[in-house]
Amino acid sequence: MLIDTPTATHLSQVISQVTAPAFLLGAVAAFVSVLIGRMNRIVDRLQTLHATIDDDISAVHPDVPHLERRAVLLNKAIILSTISAIVTSLLVILAFVCSFFQFRHEYGVALLFVIALSFFTLSLVDLVREARLSLHDLSHHKQSQHRPKASNA
């Protein structure tokens, strides 16, 4: 049984169909870069705080739990975005393989696209949650700076 290779017109049609997933893949890559940048700043801050803490194990800077929570959210967002990128890549591969073997691929591609967008959306939700924590930390710092210090007199 010989495989009937797709025509240039058919391949052109597949390429036009995977344009949206290709743009999604580019957006996810840029988004992961932003997430990693935010994560690096938090990790650097945590390392600085841990370096300034004395040998006393009970001494923990009050910012550490908040920064750790933010790092967890960003890590989750990075994982979700990466899954979205993997699913999107599989979608593009599936579209071309199905085209080559002349299988109907519309439903599979549509399902993978919805799954990829769902993971990307969940990643965006985690970024929003992390940003809210970041703003909460900022307002917490402003309030603690404006409080009068108790005198020991």
Side-chain angles (χ1 to χ4, degrees):
M1 179 167 129
L2 293 173
I3 297 174
D4 192 19
T5 57
T7 65
T9 305
H10 191 74
L11 284 176
S12 174
Q13 181 183 12
V14 173
I15 289 171
S16 69
Q17 290 172 349
V18 297
T19 302
F23 280 114
L24 175 62
L25 200 53
V28 169
F31 184 63
V32 168
S33 177
V34 168
L35 293 172
I36 289 172
R38 290 179 74 93
M39 175 71 91
N40 286 337
R41 286 194 303 272
I42 290 172
V43 169
D44 289 344
R45 177 80 173 125
L46 280 169
Q47 288 174 340
T48 302
L49 289 175
H50 283 300
T52 60
I53 295 174
D54 298 341
D55 291 334
D56 182 13
I57 296 177
S58 64
V60 176
H61 194 279
D63 289 343
V64 170
H66 295 288
L67 290 171
E68 287 175 346
R69 177 71 180 133
R70 288 177 58 197
V72 166
L73 285 170
L74 285 171
N75 185 55
K76 188 176 165 192
I78 290 168
I79 290 169
L80 291 168
S81 292
T82 304
I83 292 170
S84 174
I86 291 168
V87 171
T88 304
S89 297
L90 290 174
L91 179 159
V92 173
I93 292 168
L94 177 72
F96 280 102
V97 168
C98 286
S99 173
F100 185 75
F101 291 109
Q102 296 182 354
F103 296 142
R104 295 202 42 98
H105 64 277
E106 293 83 6
Y107 295 113
V109 167
L111 178 65
L112 287 175
F113 194 67
V114 168
I115 291 169
L117 282 175
S118 298
F119 278 109
F120 187 60
T121 301
L122 291 172
S123 180
L124 288 168
V125 168
D126 280 339
L127 175 65
V128 168
R129 292 174 62 200
E130 186 274 333
R132 290 190 67 201
L133 280 176
S134 174
L135 289 175
H136 174 73
D137 291 349
L138 180 64
S139 66
H140 175 72
H141 282 289
K142 285 184 180 181
Q143 289 175 357
S144 65
Q145 289 175 352
H146 295 301
R147 286 188 193 141
K149 295 186 178 180
S151 61
N152 292 335

